[in-house]
């Protein structure tokens, strides 16, 4: 149960939120409610409860009402898991969480941003997205923290619950977000870092040759709204942009799997003054034209700024295009470094 969520819920649904969360904690799926409840409104509250109580691994996002002359009951769907099996699963989840909390890297974290970075990286690097569940709907545990942390196979709400559970254990204020992306249902997390609220979506990722991407780590409302939609009135305002300079995030060197070049350098940082003259890129053809001119003229530094129409920028896509054009035009392999400034959508490529 999240005290932070309650204050953003409509007054008429707060008691229902508390009742459902309490039922989860006592493993009950029936709740006596007073007054009339709208089914869609109750389903929305149930979704928030499932995110905020990530240990409720045997409950489903399904409910029904039963009204008699004297009372009204709400029944929440449950997975067909026996009491003994549920006890084993909860113990496995608890052991996994404790194992993660004992990680030396986490022990070395000195502030909220470092702790949140560790959690975000852990979910991204250890959990596979369950594409089969999206199609078949036969893997209900992929919607749970158990799926994310123990099975390491989950979908968006499972990843969100895994992140929320770890944040709760570490005392970091957080809440689940029930929204949409690409016209489909989607879940992620709002976390508090150094007293400010930010969005973090561990599912929405691009793996840069095995290295987690931070394009949806500690984002403001305006930043994440490029790809995500949610009822802003039901959540805290996230108005601050992430300008945290953290060595865990600023520098990540990784080896390319391809054989054309050796390695590159990925940087998320504040914008230095010399980048003010970056060339604005409004389309892929325009980017290709800039690359072609620079490669033919052997300009060793390329600085471009991507138009907002590109949406979320995955640097690897544009680096791959650069690699191919160098190979096609010069017929040679080479080494290069790059820096990507997320907040400013600027990519710098420096090659030898």
């Amino acid at each position: 149960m999240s005290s932070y969520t309650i204050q953003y819920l409509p007054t008429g649904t707060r008691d229902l939120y508390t009742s459902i969360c309490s039922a989860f904690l006592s493993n009950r799926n029936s709740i006596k409610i007073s007054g009339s409840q709208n089914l869609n409104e109750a389903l929305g509250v149930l979704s928030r409860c499932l995110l905020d109580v990530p240990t409720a691994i045997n409950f489903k996002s399904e409910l029904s009402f039963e009204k008699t002359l004297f009372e009204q009951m709400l029944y929440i769907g449950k997975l067909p898991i026996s009491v003994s099996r549920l006890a084993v699963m909860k113990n496995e989840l608890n052991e996994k969480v404790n194992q993660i909390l004992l990680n030396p890297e986490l022990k070395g974290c000195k502030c909220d941003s470092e702790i949140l970075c560790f959690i975000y990286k852990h979910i991204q690097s250890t959990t596979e997205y369950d594409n089969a569940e999206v199609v078949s709907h036969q893997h209900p545990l992929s919607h749970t923290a158990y799926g994310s942390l123990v099975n390491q196979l989950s979908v968006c709400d499972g990843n969100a619950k895994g992140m929320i559970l770890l944040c709760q254990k570490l005392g970091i204020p957080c809440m689940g977000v029930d929204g949409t992306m690409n016209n489909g249902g989607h879940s992620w997390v709002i976390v508090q870092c150094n007293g400010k609220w930010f969005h973090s979506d561990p599912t929405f990722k691009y793996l840069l040759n095995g290295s987690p991407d931070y394009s949806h780590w500690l984002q403001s409302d305006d930043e994440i709204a490029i790809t995500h939609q949610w009822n802003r009135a039901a959540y805290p305002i996230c108005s601050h942009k992430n300008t945290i300079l953290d060595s865990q995030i600023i520098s990540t060197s990784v080896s390319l799997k391809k054989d054309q070049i050796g390695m590159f350098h990925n940087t998320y940082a504040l914008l230095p003054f010399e980048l003010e003259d970056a060339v604005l890129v409004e389309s892929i053809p325009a980017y290709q034209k800039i690359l072609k001119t620079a490669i033919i003229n052997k300009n060793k530094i390329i600085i471009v700024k991507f138009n907002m129409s590109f949406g979320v920028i995955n640097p690897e896509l544009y680096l791959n295009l650069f690699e191919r054009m160098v190979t096609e035009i010069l017929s040679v392999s080479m080494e290069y470094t790059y820096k990507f400034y997320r907040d400013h959508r600027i990519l710098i490529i420096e090659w030898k």
Side-chain angles (χ1 to χ4, degrees), residues 84-134:
S84 58
R85 176 56 186 157
L86 180 62
V88 170
M89 291 174 66
K90 288 196 171 185
N91 185 57
E92 290 174 338
L93 180 59
N94 187 57
E95 288 182 351
K96 174 57 70 172
V97 169
N98 289 336
Q99 177 186 337
I100 295 169
L101 298 184
L102 291 174
N103 188 299
E105 183 180 344
L106 178 59
K107 292 291 186 180
C109 293
K110 300 179 179 64
C111 59
D112 286 352
S113 62
E114 291 184 355
I115 294 172
L116 288 166
C117 177
F118 170 84
I119 295 172
Y120 188 87
K121 283 197 304 182
H122 179 84
I123 300 292
Q124 282 207 347
S125 59
T126 62
T127 306
E128 292 293 327
Y129 190 80
D130 190 356
N131 289 294
E133 166 58 14
V134 177

Side-chain angles (χ1 to χ4, degrees), residues 59-76:
F59 288 90
K60 300 191 291 184
S61 185
E62 298 176 359
L63 57 78
S64 61
F65 290 112
E66 183 178 300
K67 190 173 184 179
T68 67
L69 184 62
F70 303 103
E71 63 182 14
Q72 185 174 9
M73 298 295 295
L74 181 149
Y75 295 94
I76 305 168

Side-chain angles (χ1 to χ4, degrees), residues 174-205:
C174 63
M175 66 182 73
V177 183
D178 187 29
T180 61
M181 186 184 76
N182 296 330
N183 298 317
H186 189 59
S187 300
W188 63 98
V189 186
I190 286 180
V191 295
Q192 195 174 94
C193 181
N194 300 327
K196 300 173 183 178
W197 290 106
F198 295 91
H199 295 267
S200 284
D201 185 354
T203 299
F204 197 94
K205 65 181 180 180

Side-chain angles (χ1 to χ4, degrees), residues 40-261:
N40 288 333
E41 187 176 62
L43 281 169
V45 174
L46 174 60
S47 295
R48 297 290 294 270
C49 295
L50 286 168
L51 286 167
D52 289 343
V53 187
T55 54
I57 58 178
N58 59 321
F59 288 90
K60 300 191 291 184
S61 185
E62 298 176 359
L63 57 78
S64 61
F65 290 112
E66 183 178 300
K67 190 173 184 179
T68 67
L69 184 62
F70 303 103
E71 63 182 14
Q72 185 174 9
M73 298 295 295
L74 181 149
Y75 295 94
I76 305 168
K78 295 181 74 173
L79 298 177
I81 301 174
S82 67
V83 174
S84 58
R85 176 56 186 157
L86 180 62
V88 170
M89 291 174 66
K90 288 196 171 185
N91 185 57
E92 290 174 338
L93 180 59
N94 187 57
E95 288 182 351
K96 174 57 70 172
V97 169
N98 289 336
Q99 177 186 337
I100 295 169
L101 298 184
L102 291 174
N103 188 299
E105 183 180 344
L106 178 59
K107 292 291 186 180
C109 293
K110 300 179 179 64
C111 59
D112 286 352
S113 62
E114 291 184 355
I115 294 172
L116 288 166
C117 177
F118 170 84
I119 295 172
Y120 188 87
K121 283 197 304 182
H122 179 84
I123 300 292
Q124 282 207 347
S125 59
T126 62
T127 306
E128 292 293 327
Y129 190 80
D130 190 356
N131 289 294
E133 166 58 14
V134 177
V135 177
S136 67
H137 304 292
Q138 298 297 313
H139 305 158
L141 289 178
S142 290
H143 296 273
T144 68
Y146 184 91
S148 177
L149 300 179
V150 180
N151 290 343
Q152 298 183 342
L153 181 70
S154 64
V155 290
C156 62
D157 50 345
N159 289 334
K161 292 168 187 175
M163 185 171 183
I164 289 168
L165 181 55
L166 293 174
C167 285
Q168 290 176 346
K169 291 292 185 180
L170 291 165
I172 295 178
C174 63
M175 66 182 73
V177 183
D178 187 29
T180 61
M181 186 184 76
N182 296 330
N183 298 317
H186 189 59
S187 300
W188 63 98
V189 186
I190 286 180
V191 295
Q192 195 174 94
C193 181
N194 300 327
K196 300 173 183 178
W197 290 106
F198 295 91
H199 295 267
S200 284
D201 185 354
T203 299
F204 197 94
K205 65 181 180 180
Y206 295 110
L207 289 185
L208 300 177
N209 295 303
S211 178
D213 173 76
Y214 297 92
S215 62
H216 283 73
W217 182 77
L218 298 187
Q219 284 203 312
S220 68
D221 286 340
D222 291 342
E223 289 174 318
I224 203 166
I226 295 173
T227 52
H228 296 50
Q229 300 80 42
W230 71 104
N231 178 9
R232 296 196 184 199
Y235 299 92
I237 296 172
C238 303
S239 59
H240 300 277
K241 287 191 174 182
N242 172 23
T243 55
I244 299 167
L245 296 181
D246 187 309
S247 60
Q248 287 180 291
I249 302 165
I250 292 175
S251 299
T252 308
S253 296
V254 289
S255 298
L256 285 174
K257 294 180 179 178
K258 300 178 180 179
D259 57 10
Q260 293 110 301
I261 58 179

